[in-house]
Amino acid sequence: MSKNKEFVAVYGATGHTGAFVIAELLRRRLPVIAVGRDMPRVPAGVTARIAALDDAAALDEAFADCAVVINCAGPFLDTASPIIEAALRVGSAYVDVTAEQASALSTFELYHERARARGVTIIPAAGFYGGLADLLASTLVGQHSVDDMTVAIALDHWWPTKGTRKTGERNHVPRVVVKNGSLVPMTVPTTKTEWTFDSAHGVQEMEEMPFSEIITISRHLHVRNLRAYLNTSSLNEVRAEATPQPVAVDAHGRSAQTFAIEVIAHDSAGIRRAAAQGQDIYAVTAPLVVEAAARMLEPSFARSGALSLGEAFDAADFLRSVGSEHLMFELSAT
């Protein structure tokens, strides 16, 4: 890492997820710069910089001394490209937290070779959606080929943030799954099923609802068929206009929401399962992206290009580092 690039920039720092990321960077004593289109409030002692998405010069100036840029400002269909372009111009690594399939796919396709040529790392979809399932799947199967893989997620509630609402209104790109080794449009109307979680969530009615984990997993793992499901009750909540925003219930600012995520792989060797449980999908995104930033700050880190979390790092070691404080996870085989 260059001596004049020591900071981690957080774009969208005053948003709901951005605030969790700033707090986690401060907790880990990593030097942080808060960047956004406006800065109504930032924690004491944090430097704030103003840079609009359509102001390339301001973005370059904001990121010039930053080794890593974390983008928490959605919709990422609108924000990812201008921030990545600025990061490439100034030679900063980039991480975002998109759940949007089209944004993650576009980042991989458009920026992998350019990032490699520039010698920087770009990691889209490194949060709860996209990143966590990719880490679990990578730990589960490594470089082995898998016939069928399913990602199942249960939330006891989904209280959406303003950013989630805005992204839902913006993102009308058809969702995709992996079938016979290729990305194909999800069947509509969607498939529904039941899933028994090995957690307090128990038996849940599930609806096929793929997010960016389809893109991150299929980017580097050899999976012939890949689908993802979310419990129907949480989807009903996030779709209802009257559902409130999350409310903090502890000293860390987390809501009372709990989640369970399971990744099941089927192949000739049998059935393998990786699972994780935790509290607050927005809050748990912070340790995931901050752990990625911290690892990219290490002098020994030498990966470049557009990579998923499970591709850029040792997935099992990454999960152990995050799980000690923020997650409970396990692996099993039948």
Side-chain angles (χ1 to χ4, degrees):
M1 182 180 65
S2 174
K3 289 183 179 180
N4 64 341
K5 284 185 173 293
E6 58 183 0
F7 293 99
V8 177
V10 180
Y11 196 90
T14 59
H16 189 84
T17 301
F20 282 121
V21 173
I22 290 283
E24 181 66 10
L25 286 163
L26 293 173
R27 187 188 72 83
R28 295 188 58 162
R29 301 185 185 278
L30 294 173
V32 56
I33 301 290
V35 186
R37 289 159 284 198
D38 53 66
M39 288 281 111
R41 63 195 183 281
V42 294
V46 175
T47 299
R49 296 173 180 171
I50 303 295
L53 291 170
D54 59 357
D55 190 338
L59 288 171
D60 290 358
E61 185 176 355
F63 301 151
D65 56 354
C66 298
V68 182
V69 176
I70 300 175
N71 180 12
C72 297
F76 294 89
L77 284 168
D78 299 324
T79 68
S81 183
I83 297 176
I84 292 173
E85 292 287 351
L88 287 173
R89 287 193 298 269
V90 302
S92 302
Y94 170 91
V95 183
D96 73 33
V97 299
T98 185
E100 301 157 60
Q101 290 187 326
S103 176
L105 184 59
S106 176
T107 295
F108 282 128
E109 292 180 341
L110 294 178
Y111 292 108
H112 178 61
E113 293 303 328
R114 289 180 60 189
R116 288 187 65 185
R118 193 72 172 88
V120 300
T121 309
I122 292 175
I123 303 180
F128 174 80
Y129 290 111
L132 182 52
D134 180 53
L135 289 168
L136 291 168
S138 299
T139 302
L140 195 63
V141 304
Q143 294 305 308
H144 298 287
S145 296
V146 174
D147 294 329
D148 298 286
M149 180 177 286
T150 304
V151 177
I153 297 173
L155 315 176
D156 66 340
H157 292 284
W158 192 350
W159 300 299
T161 65
K162 289 181 180 179
T164 298
R165 293 285 194 200
K166 188 175 181 181
T167 297
E169 294 168 0
R170 167 68 175 87
N171 183 19
H172 297 290
V173 181
R175 297 176 187 268
V176 296
V177 297
V178 177
K179 184 176 181 180
N180 295 325
S182 300
L183 289 171
V184 300
M186 178 185 71
T187 302
V188 179
T190 57
T191 303
K192 292 188 177 182
T193 187
E194 275 194 351
W195 193 278
T196 302
F197 287 87
D198 189 16
S199 70
H201 295 82
V203 179
Q204 294 282 333
E205 180 187 85
M206 308 291 286
E207 182 173 331
E208 189 166 16
M209 185 55 59
F211 289 96
S212 52
E213 69 284 334
I214 298 294
I215 309 302
T216 56
I217 292 172
S218 65
R219 177 69 182 180
H220 69 110
L221 297 181
H222 306 291
V223 181
R224 183 171 176 80
N225 299 295
L226 173 62
R227 313 186 84 88
Y229 295 82
L230 183 63
N231 61 322
T232 303
S233 61
S234 68
L235 280 169
N236 289 340
E237 281 191 315
V238 79
R239 289 165 175 163
E241 293 184 3
T243 302
Q245 296 181 54
V247 175
V249 298
D250 64 20
H252 302 290
R254 297 178 299 181
S255 73
Q257 178 200 61
T258 62
F259 65 81
I261 175 170
E262 297 187 1
V263 178
I264 308 295
H266 296 255
D267 56 26
S268 58
I271 301 173
R272 283 167 287 171
R273 169 182 171 274
Q277 301 175 42
Q279 179 180 345
D280 195 325
I281 61 174
Y282 300 107
V284 81
T285 287
L288 291 169
V289 297
V290 171
E291 179 67 20
R295 290 179 179 230
M296 287 191 286
L297 289 171
E298 296 174 357
S300 60
F301 184 77
R303 300 296 305 276
S304 63
L307 309 169
S308 74
L309 274 186
E311 187 179 13
F313 308 106
D314 181 316
D317 181 67
F318 195 105
L319 281 171
R320 283 192 293 269
S321 297
V322 175
S324 60
E325 294 184 64
H326 305 282
L327 288 169
M328 294 186 295
F329 75 96
E330 61 176 312
L331 304 176
S332 61
T334 304

